[in-house]
Amino acid sequence: MFDGLIGLTSGLLAGLTDFVAPVAGPNAAASAIVLFTLAVRLALVPLTLRAARGERIRQRLTPQVNKLRTRFESRPERMAKEIRELYAKEGGSPFSGVLPSLAQAPFFMLLFQTASAPSTHTLFGAPLGAQVASVIGAYGPFGVPVLVFAAVIGLIAGVAYISSRRARLTAVAVEGQPEIMRKIVPLLPYGTVLAALVLPLAVALYLLAGTAWTAAERALLYPKPVAA
């Protein structure tokens, strides 16, 4: 079944590549990956809207949740039950925020498998199926393909910085947020930079388009964090 999904993904990307080829030329496959990513994220908008609503509920209920955690600290089962009931009264869930990420996971795996297959497609001369280390080895540290990789990774780092700053402000604004979480959460967006350094360029493009979309969604749909 998974092989069939990989074949379907490859077919969709091939169709998109042919569709944009008259405009994008030799960069058509790279453009198709970006369009594929945007199409996936557009399809997940209902889940995103639900997650945004859940985040607003979570922030509103945080003081009450903290009181329950203090009250039932020695009775974790009762604590979990009380928190579930509290969210149920508001029509929310403490896990609604992870739905879009979970829904994206299969598409990421499919694209990774597709991008790992041998390919002649490039982005301004950089092979879409290659990793940055192999490109440096083949073209030298200052070759044009390496500069393409550097530009993509630099853009991912820029998006990660924006996301990290927002995450830090959100963590500070949430009452009762554990100190360890205030330190860890702002670092999580930079995981995409590390991933882009070891994954094929095609997947790095998926990460760039996806994280940029996420940053825009959070700016438009989620409560604006306020620095302490």
Side-chain angles (χ1 to χ4, degrees):
M1 179 179 178
F2 191 70
D3 289 341
L5 291 175
I6 292 176
L8 177 61
T9 303
S10 299
L12 288 173
L13 288 173
L16 282 173
T17 299
D18 292 339
F19 178 74
V20 300
V23 176
N27 302 312
S31 301
I33 290 171
V34 174
L35 291 175
F36 173 82
T37 306
L38 298 181
V40 169
R41 297 307 302 270
L42 186 62
L44 297 179
V45 163
L47 287 181
T48 302
L49 293 175
R50 182 179 176 184
R53 177 177 177 273
E55 177 66 14
R56 290 191 291 270
I57 293 174
R58 186 187 70 81
Q59 290 194 16
R60 187 170 69 251
L61 296 181
T62 292
Q64 298 177 59
V65 170
N66 290 335
K67 290 179 181 179
L68 290 174
R69 286 174 175 166
T70 301
R71 181 180 178 184
F72 299 107
E73 183 176 5
S74 60
R75 302 164 62 187
E77 292 184 0
R78 178 66 184 278
M79 180 199 304
K81 178 176 179 294
E82 293 288 338
I83 291 175
R84 285 197 303 270
E85 291 179 352
L86 178 63
Y87 273 96
K89 289 179 182 178
E90 297 290 333
S93 167
F95 306 107
S96 59
V98 304
L99 291 176
S101 297
L102 291 177
Q104 287 182 73
F107 295 102
F108 177 84
M109 293 301 299
L110 289 171
L111 183 60
F112 176 77
Q113 292 293 331
T114 302
S116 298
S119 173
T120 58
H121 295 297
T122 63
L123 173 63
F124 298 113
L128 293 181
Q131 301 168 332
V132 64
S134 61
V135 171
I136 292 175
Y139 298 94
F142 302 108
V144 171
V146 177
L147 297 179
V148 172
F149 257 102
V152 172
I153 293 173
L155 290 172
I156 293 175
V159 175
Y161 171 78
I162 294 172
S163 301
S164 175
R165 185 173 181 274
R166 185 180 181 90
R168 179 180 61 81
L169 293 175
T170 300
V172 170
V174 174
E175 180 183 348
Q177 181 79 275
E179 184 62 27
I180 185 64
M181 294 302 296
R182 295 183 185 221
K183 294 180 178 179
I184 292 177
V185 170
L187 298 177
L188 296 179
Y190 291 104
T192 56
V193 180
L194 298 178
L197 289 171
V198 298
L199 295 175
L201 178 58
V203 182
L205 287 174
Y206 178 89
L207 291 174
L208 173 58
T211 54
W213 181 287
T214 298
E217 280 182 339
R218 296 196 72 85
L220 292 172
L221 301 177
Y222 284 72
K224 185 177 180 180
V226 179

